[in-house]
Amino acid sequence: MRRIGAFLYRYAKHLNLHYDAIAGLPNAGTLIAKGFKEAAKKDGRNVPMVVLHKEEEGERREIVGVIDYAGFHDQLAEGKEIVILVLDDLITHGKTKEEGLRVLERDKFTVRDVLVFMDREQGGTAYLRERGQTLRAPTTLRWAVQHGGNTRVP
């Protein structure tokens, strides 16, 4: 997952995305965000990482809050806009992203882009567009199947 994070860092840099911090959606997205942060550090950038908390009890799994505001708590309280780049491994229809996006927005973060490694092309792009966000994905499931899974880093 950390290698995917490094790949997504290079992809975000290639797209020239604007963000103040990153947040991975638990659980895969958190590992991806760590790899993204490490790749940014190697590139000379300090990218703060907001950490979301997921409660798991039996069959119930739910993102319930932010456990690390990456030093932005006071700025958010003052009304400053903090743009978060949300990271995850893939997107299907997009509704599973809702929990994390809702928690970030409740805590006054702004989310413009959701960056995933793979778009399964089953409605996620349209779903996020309806929410006012843009899906960014370097590959699709269809492309991976057609090309045997070979991807090239931009």
Side-chain angles (χ1 to χ4, degrees), residues 7-8 11 89-91 116-121 135-145 147 149-152:
F7 177 89
L8 290 179
Y11 187 68
D89 55 348
L90 57 86
I91 190 166
V116 299
F117 180 68
M118 181 177 290
D119 178 4
R120 292 184 61 183
E121 298 180 298
L135 176 66
R136 310 289 186 162
T139 192
T140 63
L141 181 60
R142 177 185 7 223
W143 188 92
V145 169
H147 293 89
N150 294 322
T151 59
R152 297 200 51 104

Side-chain angles (χ1 to χ4, degrees), residues 64-78:
V64 295
V66 174
I67 58 173
D68 184 346
Y69 285 83
F72 291 114
H73 198 272
D74 290 342
Q75 293 170 350
L76 291 167
E78 294 167 1

Side-chain angles (χ1 to χ4, degrees), residues 84-104:
I84 299 292
L85 176 60
V86 172
L87 304 169
D88 209 358
D89 55 348
L90 57 86
I91 190 166
T92 303
H93 49 73
K95 292 181 182 165
T96 57
K97 307 296 177 238
E98 179 73 26
E99 259 176 27
L101 296 171
R102 195 174 57 242
V103 164
L104 288 165

Side-chain angles (χ1 to χ4, degrees), residues 5 8-9 12 22-26 28-30 32-34 36-37 84-89 97 113-116:
L8 290 179
Y9 169 73
I22 58 172
L25 297 179
T30 303
I32 289 169
K34 288 177 182 178
F36 188 104
K37 183 175 176 65
I84 299 292
L85 176 60
V86 172
L87 304 169
D88 209 358
D89 55 348
K97 307 296 177 238
D113 298 290
V114 175
L115 177 58
V116 299

Side-chain angles (χ1 to χ4, degrees), residues 5 11 13 23 28 38 40 42 51 54 60 63 71 77 83 88 100 110 112 121 125 133:
Y11 187 68
K13 185 176 176 179
E38 289 169 3
K42 288 178 184 174
V51 180
K54 183 177 191 177
R60 186 182 74 80
I63 299 171
V83 178
D88 209 358
T110 300
R112 294 186 184 139
E121 298 180 298
T125 300
Q133 289 137 348

